[in-house]
Amino acid sequence: MTESPSMIGLLKEHLDLALNLRALQIHFYPERCNGTWQCYEVCPVGCWRPDYEKRIVAFEHGELCIACGACVLQCPQDAIELKVPDD
Amino acid sequence: MATVFMKWLETQPEQYDRGIRLLTLGKLQDLQEQLVELLVRPGMRVLEIGCGTGALTTAMAAKGANVVGIDLEAGMLTQAENRVAASGLDESVDLKHMDAALIAERFEPASFDLIVSSLAFSEMARDAQAYVLTACLSLLAPGGQLAVLDEVSPPGRAARFAVAAVHFPLRIITWLLTRATTHPLRDFQTTLERAGYRARVVDSHLLGSLCLYLAKPRPEDAARRLPDSFKGRLRHRVNLRTMLIDLWAVFFRIIPPYPKVEPGLYSVGEPNPDSPVLVTGNFDLTIRRLVKAIDTRLDVWLLVVDSSGINVWCAAGGGFLTAERIIGALRTSRLDEVVKHHALILPQLCANGVDGWAIREQTKWGVHWGPVRAVDLPAYFQAGRKKTDDMRHVRFPLLDRLEMVAATMGFYGLMILIPVALIWPSSFWPLLSALFGLSLFYAITLPWLPGRDGLAKSLPLSLFALAGMLLYSWRVDSTASPDIFNRFIGLTGLSVFVGAELQGMSPRMRGEQANWGWEAIVAVVLGLAYWLVPILLGWR
């Protein structure tokens, strides 16, 4: 039998998630980007700016990011990560 | 706070078994044992559709069968894996995270001697039932059988009434305790026969409301009939039903059960085989707003995917609307028999949970991310499926913010005000006005309040009011200070709470979890002060 989650357990899980969510940041590896513009297509707040000449995007407005994770999921090159900085 | 409550309601796979046992008065287990006894033989290749927490899976494997179990719920599968591992049957059980609609393409034809399913068909839309039954025909080896154990709506009005009367309280108790429930099948024998089986009821319990069906492919049924997967044309309509749902949605949209639409393929306007295909979730409000925005303007096919009645953004974020579900809906709707092209237009906001590349790679369908708001669809098509930046950005205008005030008030009403009205009636009206006034204040001033998150935005108001109140009691009327000071602490706590709750309501903040910890700490400290200071200083 596994233990069923209690309200307290869920609250604690929520708190951990909260601390992580605050610290989550986009890490962009421009060298992997090949310009499919998927991140720009799906970002609901406008963090990404496409550079059509160089076929690359720039992570321009990080301050607007709401950590929804859409760009991370849609990037075919795995050029975007959403993570808590290591240090 | 709201999200904790909802999460608690939504995710309790561990409770599922307990709930089902309660709901079926233990009879499900009896029928499962009977099924194993009657049909399972050592060495048999068995496919279990909807293996859930793996109770039947392990029982069949224990009798020597090689079982492949599939389920759409990752939480359930984890439970099943644990159970299988605990009984040491890993060798003969293979568990897969899969939509039942995809079995025909993921398994070899004629590769199973027995296909079983317990309480899974009642979870499917009718299209999906018919499609999966057809798929099972191709997967069954010669001489193979299909056994379906499920809850059914019994034939006969008297029996139906009796079952409903007994079940209703049981259903409520079970739902409250375990968040599990079932949706009885209607006339499943006919469904089986129309799909090409010869079927009979082997045994039933509880006035015929829990049945074990055994079905064999009908030999003459080489030419299968297509189920009528097309659901019909959607029009923008306003009637008493839609008005009642709208009224409910104004206050209680964040509280389940959500008003749903049956998943499947619909049309808006008069589309032809070249018309575009839009995909969306099955939240009633989403679909009616979408239809309102495009009816008489566009002719499109609308593929409604089961998102558990949740809006697309939240459903995708919470794992309810996934690439797997969309691929399943593509299959069960038989969309490729309806249109000539292969372009899907997905709502942009489901991109946080629907893996576009999974759809592109596993089907021949291309994925395009449509605009955020349905009202932009006509302009989007006019521009040749091009979005402007304005179409791709989420906004939170005043009208939406006021809508959220109503939704929060509905939530406060149920969670806070009703209990308060029952226990401390004298506090009801002050609390109601305080919650409403504060919510309204934050909703209106939100864009101009400093800070990016709900807590930061709530602090200036709290500090300003605290300073004002202290100044008042110190300079103007010092005799009134204790009581006013005490009330004010309560009000500050409330305003922090309301401000932080806004976080969950605003699409432009990082979910309300981000501040939940601080919200709790501030609220607890202020609450303790509100309660203890008067006692310690002897004001009361």
Side-chain angles (χ1 to χ4, degrees):
Chain A
M1 280 296 287
T2 45
E3 211 181 317
S4 62
S6 62
M7 199 71 186
I8 302 290
L10 264 170
L11 289 179
K12 193 181 164 297
E13 189 188 307
H14 217 69
L15 194 65
D16 293 345
L17 192 72
L19 297 173
N20 274 332
L21 200 73
R22 280 180 83 80
L24 279 177
Q25 280 182 12
I26 290 286
H27 291 248
F28 174 49
Y29 305 92
E31 67 280 4
R32 296 185 203 162
C33 177
N34 63 357
T36 56
W37 321 130
Q38 288 293 304
C39 51
Y40 170 63
E41 274 295 303
V42 298
C43 180
V45 290
C47 291
W48 302 93
R49 185 178 55 79
D51 182 333
Y52 294 107
E53 277 175 19
K54 291 190 203 151
R55 269 198 92 72
I56 195 172
V57 290
F59 187 60
E60 203 173 57
H61 292 290
E63 78 283 0
L64 297 176
C65 177
I66 53 172
C68 73
C71 53
V72 180
L73 183 61
Q74 304 307 332
C75 179
Q77 297 293 109
D78 294 329
I80 311 169
E81 284 175 15
L82 188 61
K83 60 180 185 185
V84 179
D86 294 331
D87 47 58
Chain B
M1 173 79 183
T3 44
V4 176
F5 171 69
M6 282 166 59
K7 197 170 169 187
W8 178 69
L9 288 177
E10 279 162 11
T11 54
Q12 296 254 355
E14 296 81 356
Q15 298 280 45
Y16 182 80
D17 280 347
R18 199 155 68 91
I20 293 301
R21 214 174 304 137
L22 202 62
L23 201 55
T24 60
L25 302 173
K27 296 297 181 196
L28 181 74
Q29 214 174 344
D30 294 355
L31 283 178
Q32 287 186 343
E33 283 165 12
Q34 200 179 338
L35 186 159
V36 175
E37 178 68 22
L38 195 69
L39 298 171
V40 179
R41 302 281 173 268
M44 248 185 184
R45 297 161 297 171
V46 182
L47 171 65
E48 185 181 4
I49 296 172
C51 58
T53 60
L56 181 56
T57 325
T58 31
M60 294 189 295
K63 207 168 165 209
N66 293 312
V67 187
V68 179
I70 66 164
D71 206 292
L72 197 51
E73 303 260 338
M76 294 278 192
L77 275 178
T78 313
Q79 293 288 113
E81 272 159 16
N82 292 342
R83 191 194 295 252
V84 168
S87 7
L89 292 164
D90 310 52
E91 291 284 308
S92 44
V93 175
D94 185 9
L95 296 170
K96 292 181 192 294
H97 187 214
M98 189 189 297
D99 189 317
L102 304 184
I103 50 175
E105 48 202 272
R106 301 265 171 95
F107 298 111
E108 293 293 314
S111 56
F112 294 101
D113 305 306
L114 176 66
I115 299 180
V116 302
S117 162
S118 171
L119 295 185
F121 275 95
S122 50
E123 295 283 313
M124 297 178 200
R126 263 173 304 164
D127 269 7
Q129 291 174 6
Y131 187 87
V132 172
L133 288 175
T134 312
C136 289
L137 277 180
S138 71
L139 291 186
L140 283 173
Q145 301 188 83
L146 170 73
V148 176
L149 177 48
D150 224 312
E151 210 192 359
V152 297
S153 188
R157 225 173 260 171
R160 217 160 28 233
F161 181 77
V163 167
V166 173
H167 250 195
F168 187 68
L170 202 59
R171 222 166 244 283
I172 290 185
I173 295 169
T174 308
W175 195 86
L176 287 175
L177 285 178
T178 65
R179 188 59 181 90
T181 190
T182 55
H183 316 275
L185 293 170
R186 278 177 184 274
D187 207 9
F188 194 61
Q189 187 140 358
T190 312
T191 311
L192 280 167
E193 272 157 18
R194 283 175 59 181
Y197 293 87
R198 194 176 293 143
R200 67 188 170 98
V201 175
V202 178
D203 200 0
S204 67
H205 275 300
L206 308 174
L207 291 173
S209 68
L210 194 64
C211 279
L212 173 58
Y213 295 92
L214 189 58
K216 290 177 186 176
R218 240 195 344 255
E220 67 272 29
D221 202 87
R224 284 167 203 149
R225 69 187 290 288
L226 295 176
D228 307 332
S229 60
F230 178 61
K231 290 277 175 304
R233 177 176 176 176
L234 296 173
R235 293 167 200 264
H236 171 52
R237 281 212 184 93
V238 178
N239 54 33
L240 189 65
R241 183 183 157 271
T242 64
M243 282 192 286
L244 285 176
I245 296 180
D246 283 341
L247 189 67
W248 163 270
V250 165
F251 294 103
F252 301 117
R253 76 173 60 167
I254 62 172
I255 295 160
Y258 314 106
K260 290 178 198 172
V261 170
E262 183 174 351
L265 183 65
Y266 296 85
S267 71
V268 181
E270 288 172 352
N272 59 42
D274 293 314
S275 300
V277 177
L278 305 179
V279 178
T280 192
N282 73 332
F283 182 35
D284 175 89
L285 216 58
T286 303
I287 290 169
R288 279 191 296 114
R289 286 188 174 183
L290 171 67
V291 172
K292 183 183 175 190
I294 62 176
D295 197 14
T296 72
R297 292 191 185 87
L298 295 173
D299 298 311
V300 296
W301 301 104
L302 182 63
L303 181 61
V304 176
V305 180
D306 184 5
S307 63
S308 304
I310 304 171
N311 71 73
V312 292
W313 201 2
C314 294
F320 295 98
L321 180 61
T322 57
E324 189 81 356
R325 286 213 173 174
I326 291 178
I327 296 172
L330 278 175
R331 300 289 189 260
T332 57
S333 66
R334 299 171 189 264
L335 190 58
D336 43 9
E337 296 168 21
V338 178
V339 296
K340 283 197 274 185
H341 61 83
H342 286 104
L344 291 180
I345 297 166
L346 264 52
Q348 182 197 311
L349 287 184
C350 72
N352 59 333
V354 174
D355 185 346
W357 295 99
I359 299 178
R360 292 181 187 106
E361 280 158 17
Q362 292 177 37
T363 70
K364 53 194 169 178
W365 291 85
V367 170
H368 304 265
W369 302 106
V372 166
R373 286 169 297 275
V375 288
D376 289 332
L377 279 167
Y380 167 76
F381 283 112
Q382 214 150 41
R385 298 189 188 179
K386 291 265 184 311
K387 281 191 283 188
T388 61
D389 277 350
D390 184 53
M391 289 181 197
R392 72 182 88 234
H393 293 167
V394 164
R395 291 187 306 238
F396 196 34
L398 183 63
L399 198 63
D400 289 7
R401 302 203 296 271
L402 293 178
E403 231 181 309
M404 285 302 135
V405 171
T408 13
M409 288 313 292
F411 177 70
Y412 294 154
L414 280 188
M415 299 299 292
I416 302 172
L417 292 170
I418 290 179
V420 165
L422 293 176
I423 303 168
W424 303 286
S426 63
S427 307
F428 177 79
W429 288 108
L431 192 59
L432 174 66
S433 3
L435 285 173
F436 181 66
L438 286 166
S439 302
L440 205 58
F441 171 82
Y442 286 124
I444 293 172
T445 57
L446 191 69
W448 302 282
L449 290 173
R452 273 210 67 203
D453 56 55
L455 188 68
K457 282 175 184 287
S458 76
L459 285 180
L461 172 71
S462 317
L463 295 176
F464 179 76
L466 180 62
M469 200 59 84
L470 286 175
L471 206 64
Y472 175 84
S473 56
W474 172 48
R475 299 294 301 187
V476 183
D477 185 0
S478 57
T479 55
S481 64
D483 191 38
I484 289 182
F485 177 74
N486 190 25
R487 270 189 204 175
F488 177 70
I489 291 178
L491 208 57
T492 312
L494 217 52
S495 78
V496 169
F497 172 74
V498 172
E501 274 295 291
L502 256 187
Q503 187 109 6
M505 296 292 168
S506 165
R508 306 204 47 150
M509 296 182 190
R510 294 189 171 207
E512 77 186 280
Q513 299 97 324
N515 271 315
W516 203 85
W518 292 110
E519 182 189 356
I521 290 164
V522 172
V524 165
V525 167
L526 289 172
L528 281 177
Y530 177 71
W531 180 54
L532 284 176
V533 167
I535 294 174
L536 291 178
L537 297 183
W539 294 344
R540 273 184 197 146

